[in-house]
């Protein structure tokens, strides 16, 4: 019964059946999630927000994708177009430098600037995927709450975009995949892998978290294994006895790692929102 809330069915290889939802913002999303969990006793998993991209293949007509999992192989793509908005930002002149730096950091292109007394109006072309997560929060922080902005869709523009895959224990998790600019893929992959390490609990075996673009691994971190001291009972005797126990433990952990399954907690799917 909420007119500002929209949804449509969605399927994920990692998470199964679900819904793609549209909210007014993160506060709106948190309120709806809290109501569903309290009133209907549901255990929900929320993933990071995404935008629609337009793919121009080498053969065939252009089509739109709503998730990175639907992106074809790079050798089949002629170009990828991303939605770009025309943002109008009003900010006090004292904070103009911070706002310009924030827009440049988000791959913005300045259109014009106008001064109205003590306030400045700036218009920027900004990629939509750069502002759907935390741009409003960053703008409020940079201007101490005095900055405001409005935007409207300006169209689709071609960009050097790649699919950033996240592999946990060697398995690709499509719900954690992102479409990012090629120039930022290395830093984004390293930050996301490091942040996921904080959320994924330690197992009996070492868990490798990797970020990949295509077949190339661009970042890696490892969640260390929980270690049992198997040599504690060896209070004496030859050193070869301890080596035999350690070698037996090493073989067991290797076998466990090859068939082990890692449960990813809810917080890990929102790790992209916590990257600073």
């Amino acid at each position: 019964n909420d007119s500002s809330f929209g949804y449509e069915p969605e399927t994920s290889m990692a998470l199964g059946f679900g819904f793609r939802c549209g909210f007014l913002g993160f506060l709106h999303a948190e309120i709806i999630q809290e109501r569903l969990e309290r009133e209907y006793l549901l255990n929900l998993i929320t993933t990071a927000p995404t935008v629609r991209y337009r793919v121009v293949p080498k053969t065939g007509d252009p089509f739109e994708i709503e998730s990175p999992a639907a992106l074809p192989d790079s050798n089949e793509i002629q170009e990828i177009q991303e939605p770009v908005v025309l943002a109008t930002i009003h900010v006090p002149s004292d904070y103009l430098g911070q706002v310009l730096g924030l827009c440049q950091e988000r791959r913005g292109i300045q259109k014009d600037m106008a001064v109205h007394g003590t306030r400045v109006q700036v218009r920027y072309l900004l990629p939509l995927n750069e502002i759907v997560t935390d741009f409003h929060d960053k703008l409020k922080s940079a201007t101490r709450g005095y900055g405001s902005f409005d935007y409207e869709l300006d169209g689709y523009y071609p960009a050097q975009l790649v699919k950033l895959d996240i592999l946990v224990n060697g398995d690709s998790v499509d719900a954690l995949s992102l479409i990012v600019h090629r120039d930022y893929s290395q830093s984004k992959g390293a930050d996301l892998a490091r942040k996921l390490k904080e959320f994924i609990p330690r197992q009996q075996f070492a868990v490798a978290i990797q970020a990949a673009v295509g077949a190339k691994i661009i970042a890696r971190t490892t969640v260390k294994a929980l270690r049992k001291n198997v040599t504690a009972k060896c209070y004496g005797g030859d050193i070869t006895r301890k080596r035999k126990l350690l070698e037996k433990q090493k073989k067991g952990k290797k076998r466990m790692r090859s068939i082990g399954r890692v449960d990813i907690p809810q917080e890990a799917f929102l790790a992209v929102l916590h990257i600073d």
Side-chain angles (χ1 to χ4, degrees):
N1 59 1
D2 190 344
S3 60
S4 60
F5 169 69
Y7 65 92
E8 56 188 41
E10 174 78 9
T11 304
S12 168
M13 293 180 61
L15 303 177
F17 294 100
F19 295 95
R20 175 176 294 273
C21 305
F23 304 99
L24 292 176
F26 283 128
L27 179 61
H28 189 209
E30 290 175 1
I31 291 173
I32 290 182
Q33 180 177 352
E34 191 71 22
R35 285 191 60 190
L36 289 173
E37 291 178 345
R38 287 187 179 184
E39 297 176 15
Y40 297 95
L41 303 178
L42 298 176
N43 187 15
L44 300 178
I45 293 179
T46 309
T47 58
T50 58
V51 300
R52 281 192 174 101
Y53 295 91
R54 183 176 293 166
V55 179
V56 181
K58 293 182 179 178
T59 57
D61 298 327
F63 58 93
E64 293 186 354
I65 61 171
E66 296 182 342
S67 68
L71 189 68
D73 293 335
S74 58
N75 54 4
E76 302 176 5
I77 300 174
Q78 180 175 335
E79 70 175 12
I80 304 176
Q81 300 174 356
E82 62 179 350
V84 176
V85 300
L86 179 60
T88 303
I89 303 173
H90 294 270
V91 59
S93 56
D94 295 341
Y95 308 110
L96 181 60
Q98 295 92 313
V99 173
L100 294 180
L102 175 63
C103 293
Q104 292 293 335
E105 178 187 331
R106 300 303 174 95
R107 299 191 286 122
I109 301 175
Q110 185 175 335
K111 296 286 288 183
D112 54 44
M113 182 188 302
V115 180
H116 305 286
T118 60
R119 298 186 67 85
V120 181
Q121 175 186 300
V122 188
R123 295 202 304 164
Y124 262 90
L125 285 176
L126 288 164
L128 183 59
N129 69 329
E130 297 283 353
I131 68 173
V132 295
T133 51
D134 60 347
F135 181 81
H136 187 262
D137 295 337
K138 297 283 187 182
L139 179 66
K140 289 294 185 181
S141 298
T143 60
R144 297 186 181 180
Y146 290 105
S148 62
F149 86 110
D150 186 22
Y151 64 88
E152 58 182 8
L153 189 64
D154 192 65
Y156 284 82
Y157 289 68
Q160 296 293 324
L161 302 174
V162 293
K163 180 184 177 185
L164 179 65
D165 289 313
I166 300 298
L167 289 78
V168 179
N169 201 27
D171 297 327
S172 177
V173 183
D174 62 343
L176 293 174
S177 299
L178 299 171
I179 295 179
V180 299
H181 196 272
R182 185 181 297 275
D183 295 341
Y184 297 95
S185 60
Q186 184 87 30
S187 59
K188 194 86 168 181
D191 292 341
L192 187 54
R194 187 165 56 248
K195 183 59 68 172
L196 282 172
K197 182 180 179 180
E198 302 176 7
F199 295 116
I200 294 180
R202 296 175 68 183
Q203 310 289 327
Q204 292 291 336
F205 52 92
V207 178
I209 303 172
Q210 298 168 308
V213 174
K216 181 181 178 182
I217 304 296
I218 60 174
R220 176 194 167 112
T221 185
T222 304
V223 180
K224 293 184 179 180
L226 293 169
R227 184 178 181 275
K228 179 182 177 182
N229 189 4
V230 295
T231 61
K233 58 185 178 181
C234 298
Y235 52 87
D238 192 11
I239 189 64
T240 55
R241 188 181 173 200
K242 291 186 178 181
R243 289 177 179 169
K244 183 179 179 181
L245 289 172
L246 291 172
E247 200 65 31
K248 183 179 179 181
Q249 184 190 43
K250 184 178 178 181
K251 291 181 180 178
K253 285 187 177 292
K254 185 177 180 181
R255 183 172 65 252
M256 191 184 300
R257 184 169 61 249
S258 63
I259 62 175
R261 180 175 179 272
V262 180
D263 291 328
I264 302 177
Q266 152 67 28
E267 295 80 8
F269 294 100
L270 295 177
V272 65
L273 305 180
H274 300 285
I275 296 176
D276 191 1

